[in-house]
Amino acid sequence: MTAPARTTVPAARGPMAEAWDIFRRSPSAMLGLALLGLVILMTFAGPFLYQVDPFEIVWAPLTPPGEEATIPLGTDNLGRDILAGLIEGGSATLAVGFAAALITMLIGVLIGAYAGFYGGLVDDMLMRVTEFFQVLPPLLFAMVVVTLFQPTLVNVALAIGIVSWPQTARLTRSEFRRIRTLEYVSAMRAIGAGNGNIIWRVILPNALPPLIVSATLTIGMAILFEAGLSFLGLSDPNVMSWGLMIGSGREYLLDAWWVVTLPGAMIFLTVLGVSLVGDGLNDAFNPRMRER
């Protein structure tokens, strides 16, 4: 007798592997990842390949791009190298964006988690605080915070984070209210798990997918906030950023388009890349996409 043929059982795939498959099948998500990767690569590798001080006067002011080989993107109104400013300014802009998004997530998740888990009076009190911050004009409030303190990058990131967390708090609250009624949470309560253990080790990991998407989109919003504050002169003038380049060159827009257009294009490409990655993550973590 011949032995029966063995049937191979496909290995079980985890949710992260399925999410990655959905993400990489999206052309827009991969385009966004490529754009974001190029910006980050230019920011970190650029200073080693193009060692020019962005504040150094290297040539005549308002030299157009391509006119001088040593300054391929021209100079600004003070004669500073535009390319050096784009490379150096990217690190400051991205640092503020990521730091502000981290602060936003920390505040929003903390408040939303306790409001959604405990409900009742705790929920009412925390949501009243959230509504107070939500009705304030974000850019105006950030301007007030930066004006009251020194306009450093740290204070700019803190100001953006302080005005941006209410939406994250509401999303976290909604997820916690939904998950806390599920059976595995009740099972953890039945075996004697404490509230802190349930909040941070049981509910939060299962609420992470939409929060990751929200954090990604918050980075793009924070970059635009930083550019707006720098444009208004409410950022550190001793640290080069794309917003600072736009703000210092706005008076010369009609005579020297490159002074404002090039840093504006970098902001546009970076925010576009972050938004496309965020949309791709939203599709990847959406359970309905896995049924296709």
Side-chain angles (χ1 to χ4, degrees), residues 257-270:
W257 58 267
W258 60 90
V259 176
V260 173
T261 303
L262 294 179
M266 292 303 302
I267 293 175
F268 169 76
L269 292 175
T270 303

Side-chain angles (χ1 to χ4, degrees), residues 105 171 208-219 274-275 277-286:
M105 296 305 297
L171 176 62
L208 278 180
L211 295 180
I212 293 174
V213 176
S214 176
T216 305
L217 299 177
T218 301
I219 294 173
V274 171
S275 299
V277 170
D279 289 342
L281 289 174
N282 185 40
D283 293 339
F285 288 123
N286 189 345

Side-chain angles (χ1 to χ4, degrees), residues 87-165:
I87 294 173
E88 186 71 21
S91 59
T93 302
L94 291 176
V96 170
F98 281 95
L102 179 61
I103 295 170
T104 298
M105 296 305 297
L106 288 175
I107 300 175
V109 169
L110 185 64
I111 291 180
Y114 281 106
F117 181 79
Y118 287 104
L121 181 61
V122 175
D123 185 20
D124 290 338
M125 293 176 59
L126 292 177
M127 284 300 101
R128 297 298 82 76
V129 174
T130 302
E131 290 170 359
F132 170 77
F133 279 89
Q134 198 165 17
V135 298
L136 294 174
L139 183 57
L140 181 60
F141 188 33
M143 291 170 58
V144 172
V145 173
V146 174
T147 304
L148 290 176
F149 303 96
Q150 275 192 329
T152 63
L153 291 185
V154 174
N155 289 336
V156 169
L158 285 172
I160 297 173
I162 289 172
V163 303
S164 305
W165 61 266

Side-chain angles (χ1 to χ4, degrees), residues 224-245:
L224 292 176
F225 257 108
E226 188 278 332
L229 292 173
S230 298
F231 179 82
L232 297 173
L234 297 175
S235 185
D236 194 340
N238 299 315
V239 178
M240 185 63 68
S241 69
W242 294 335
L244 181 64
M245 296 175 68

